[in-house]
Amino acid sequence: MISKSSKIYVAGHRGMVGSATVRKLQKKGFNNLIFKTSEELDLKNQSLVDQFIAEEQPEIIIDAAAKVGGILSNYKYPYEFLMDNMLIQNNLIKAAHELDIPKFIF
């Protein structure tokens, strides 16, 4: 059972999926949510992700983060989008695993 006071980090909280997740959590009474914008934390940088997760020690990480663009950007740079998004997810998963974060939702 997840407590309403559980510390939850929502990666990608400003995107479509992440912002909907935040609204749902808040509506259900979860009030210990933590966020970082991409300007505040580069999720493509493993050492920064490790440092942030180690400092914050969330009980739950919800990964809704991704590099996104329009149809044209995705068409022109499919490799770059794929690589950046794999880097983001892998960095979060690795930090969660190595720092013993109990729950990870992807």
Side-chain angles (χ1 to χ4, degrees), residues 60-75:
I60 302 164
I61 295 175
I62 299 175
D63 180 10
K67 178 179 179 177
V68 295
I71 293 169
L72 183 58
S73 293
N74 284 310
Y75 176 77

Side-chain angles (χ1 to χ4, degrees), residues 51-106:
Q51 179 182 352
F52 170 72
I53 299 301
E55 288 172 3
E56 290 292 337
Q57 282 296 302
E59 297 167 61
I60 302 164
I61 295 175
I62 299 175
D63 180 10
K67 178 179 179 177
V68 295
I71 293 169
L72 183 58
S73 293
N74 284 310
Y75 176 77
K76 290 175 88 171
Y77 306 105
Y79 174 80
E80 291 81 1
F81 277 82
L82 179 63
M83 293 306 291
D84 281 352
N85 288 328
M86 286 194 308
L87 198 53
I88 289 167
Q89 77 180 23
N90 290 345
N91 288 347
L92 286 167
I93 292 168
K94 184 175 190 282
H97 174 71
E98 291 181 352
L99 297 168
D100 295 320
I101 305 305
K103 295 188 185 326
F104 188 92
I105 300 168
F106 179 57

Side-chain angles (χ1 to χ4, degrees), residues 17-77:
V17 173
S19 64
T21 300
V22 168
R23 286 191 303 274
K24 189 72 156 181
L25 288 168
Q26 290 172 333
K27 185 176 180 180
K28 290 189 173 271
F30 290 90
N31 56 13
N32 197 5
L33 306 177
I34 52 176
F35 318 107
K36 286 286 185 184
T37 65
S38 57
E39 292 81 23
E40 297 171 313
L41 176 61
D42 180 3
L43 294 174
K44 297 183 304 278
N45 183 317
Q46 184 71 63
S47 64
L48 294 176
V49 172
D50 290 345
Q51 179 182 352
F52 170 72
I53 299 301
E55 288 172 3
E56 290 292 337
Q57 282 296 302
E59 297 167 61
I60 302 164
I61 295 175
I62 299 175
D63 180 10
K67 178 179 179 177
V68 295
I71 293 169
L72 183 58
S73 293
N74 284 310
Y75 176 77
K76 290 175 88 171
Y77 306 105

